[in-house]
Amino acid sequence: SIFELLKGYPTAAVYSSFYKGAKTVLPGVPIKALWSAYISGREEHVDVLAYKELSKLFKADRYDIPRYTMVGLYSSDISGHKYGPDSKQVQEVLVQFDIFLKDFVDQLKKQGLADKTYIIVTADHGMHKTGKLFKLQKGLEDKGFTLKPKSPNDNKYTIFAAGRGVASSHLYIKRDGVFKPLDKAELLRKVPARWGEPTDLINTILAMDATEFLVVRNGERNARLFNHDGKSADINCFNIDYTEYCSYIFDPLLGDPLGYSSNEKLRHLLDGRPHSSLEWKKATADEVYPDAVVNFAQIFFDSRGGDAFMTIRAPYGLRTMKKGNHGGIIDQDMRVPFMVSGPTVPKGKFNTARPM
């Protein structure tokens, strides 16, 4: 972690999910924050608690102030899930953040640290409106597939749906009784079902009302993409000197599942040839599905990524009923702010960045 790289220097993690190696971790147990978020209904107070801890750290003797601090501000996420991303509650939380940021900069000035400090403001995801719960496991079971039950001792299943993402899910499929990386996407056309006959898992998922995209592993660093209308494309990638190159190939008679072909400025990327990940990022940053070719392919760069990845379209969501969700490939989920200030950072707007 970055904290481990800075071992020997004073560092702090404040209400952050990432804290391994940090010298100071605040709070020990976030009881007050959990109470505010889920009991008292004061979602905005979660950020108040985090900022109080941060402010205390920077009121110390300047030589005791952390050289690196990571702060987690969760009120916008909690409020977005509960009330929706465009709600009054989210707007109020963002205004509160602006006030905290100004106060923190003023505090740095008083400490004589304003011209020595870099401030980075970003987020790990965006959010889109939802409101309907989609029960993926039940939907697959109703079609005859056997999914992993809650009991850890029950191994009589074919599919494990890792629905951790609230708008997406990894799918792992047993073949010959074991999990192993899929080398051909078409193998999911014949997945054993309870009724004996192999069943087409791809078409089953595409026929579901909630499906937006289904991406299937198609060998090493390759994937086959389907949208809910049945349009498909092959994404093939390789790496040269730490640069990723990906091609995106679809049948022009059937159509482009990502809709990139409707933009003339993207036509040069749709020639079936490999193009660098930087080209894909820059050219598609303003599309409805930004940087989708590279992001979908990267899911399967590791064998732990499963055999298929499913994204859910609005207004549906997985797991629990929420008014706002994330985890999809849509622009509202993918685009986040990335603001940096510091003594050597020039003013202005810059090109799109891709998070690591």
Side-chain angles (χ1 to χ4, degrees):
S1 71
I2 192 168
F3 295 113
E4 291 172 315
L5 292 172
L6 293 171
K7 185 178 181 180
Y9 293 94
T11 57
V14 180
Y15 280 85
S16 173
S17 301
F18 304 94
Y19 52 81
K20 184 181 179 183
K23 186 174 182 180
T24 302
V25 179
L26 298 169
V29 180
I31 295 175
K32 291 182 179 180
L34 292 171
W35 184 272
S36 295
Y38 304 110
I39 306 297
S40 68
R42 299 171 64 202
E43 295 83 12
E44 78 288 345
H45 195 62
V46 176
D47 284 2
V48 173
L49 293 168
Y51 184 66
K52 282 183 177 179
E53 296 284 10
L54 176 67
S55 187
K56 286 179 188 176
L57 284 173
F58 279 78
K59 285 178 180 176
D61 184 281
R62 63 181 294 173
Y63 294 102
D64 294 326
I65 290 175
R67 296 298 183 267
Y68 176 80
T69 306
M70 182 178 287
V71 185
L73 299 169
Y74 296 102
S75 290
S76 59
D77 183 76
I78 298 167
S79 297
H81 282 304
K82 187 173 181 179
Y83 305 107
D86 300 325
S87 64
K88 179 185 71 173
Q89 290 85 350
V90 170
Q91 293 174 16
E92 291 174 349
V93 166
L94 295 176
V95 170
Q96 175 180 261
F97 168 77
D98 287 347
I99 294 170
F100 288 160
L101 182 59
K102 180 184 182 303
D103 185 74
F104 181 64
V105 171
D106 289 343
Q107 194 170 328
L108 290 175
K109 290 177 180 177
K110 290 179 182 178
Q111 286 278 30
L113 296 173
D115 61 346
K116 299 178 177 65
T117 303
Y118 291 88
I119 299 175
I120 300 173
V121 177
T122 190
D124 58 343
H125 56 73
M127 189 174 288
H128 65 272
K129 291 181 181 179
T130 53
K132 288 186 178 182
L133 179 62
F134 176 63
K135 297 181 179 180
L136 173 60
Q137 181 149 336
K138 183 179 185 303
L140 290 173
E141 288 174 342
D142 288 347
K143 296 298 181 180
F145 296 103
T146 305
L147 276 82
K148 186 180 186 303
K150 292 183 178 180
S151 171
N153 298 319
D154 191 342
N155 292 315
K156 296 179 181 179
Y157 62 91
T158 305
I159 300 172
F160 172 53
R164 177 62 184 88
V166 286
S168 57
S169 178
H170 289 271
L171 296 168
Y172 299 78
I173 295 89
K174 279 184 180 179
R175 291 181 296 126
D176 301 323
V178 297
F179 292 110
K180 52 187 176 182
L182 199 67
D183 53 2
K184 292 181 181 178
E186 291 301 303
L187 290 173
L188 296 193
R189 298 287 187 186
K190 295 183 178 181
V191 175
R194 287 196 304 272
W195 303 314
E197 288 296 320
T199 303
D200 190 327
L201 178 62
I202 293 174
N203 280 348
T204 299
I205 292 175
L206 294 180
M208 293 176 170
D209 290 339
T211 301
E212 182 179 36
F213 291 108
L214 177 68
V215 199
V216 183
R217 186 188 292 272
N218 198 28
E220 188 176 353
R221 305 182 81 82
N222 301 324
R224 182 160 294 165
L225 169 66
F226 302 87
N227 75 349
H228 59 275
D229 291 331
K231 298 172 183 175
S232 66
D234 283 335
I235 301 173
N236 304 309
C237 300
F238 58 90
N239 188 289
I240 298 178
D241 293 334
Y242 304 103
T243 297
E244 201 68 34
Y245 292 86
C246 295
S247 61
Y248 176 68
I249 305 169
F250 59 91
D251 187 335
L253 296 178
L254 297 177
D256 166 17
L258 290 172
Y260 286 170
S261 57
S262 62
N263 186 344
E264 290 187 3
K265 294 181 180 179
L266 302 184
R267 297 283 172 85
H268 66 287
L269 294 174
L270 308 180
D271 57 2
R273 298 177 180 178
H275 298 272
S276 75
S277 64
L278 295 178
E279 289 181 85
W280 283 110
K281 179 199 71 174
K282 185 177 180 179
T284 64
D286 295 325
E287 296 298 304
V288 175
Y289 304 110
D291 205 18
V293 168
V294 177
N295 274 275
F296 274 145
Q298 285 179 343
I299 294 170
F300 304 115
F301 285 1
D302 190 295
S303 61
R304 294 174 295 180
D307 300 303
F309 182 78
M310 176 186 184
T311 67
I312 309 301
R313 56 178 167 170
Y316 295 98
L318 298 170
R319 299 178 66 203
T320 57
M321 182 75 76
K322 296 180 179 182
K323 290 189 176 181
N325 267 331
H326 51 81
I329 198 73
I330 195 168
D331 53 355
Q332 293 149 294
D333 291 3
M334 294 288 286
R335 292 199 195 110
V336 297
F338 187 79
M339 298 177 283
V340 184
S341 69
T344 62
V345 179
K347 292 183 179 180
K349 293 183 179 180
F350 302 90
N351 291 331
T352 303
R354 179 187 289 130
M356 298 301 291

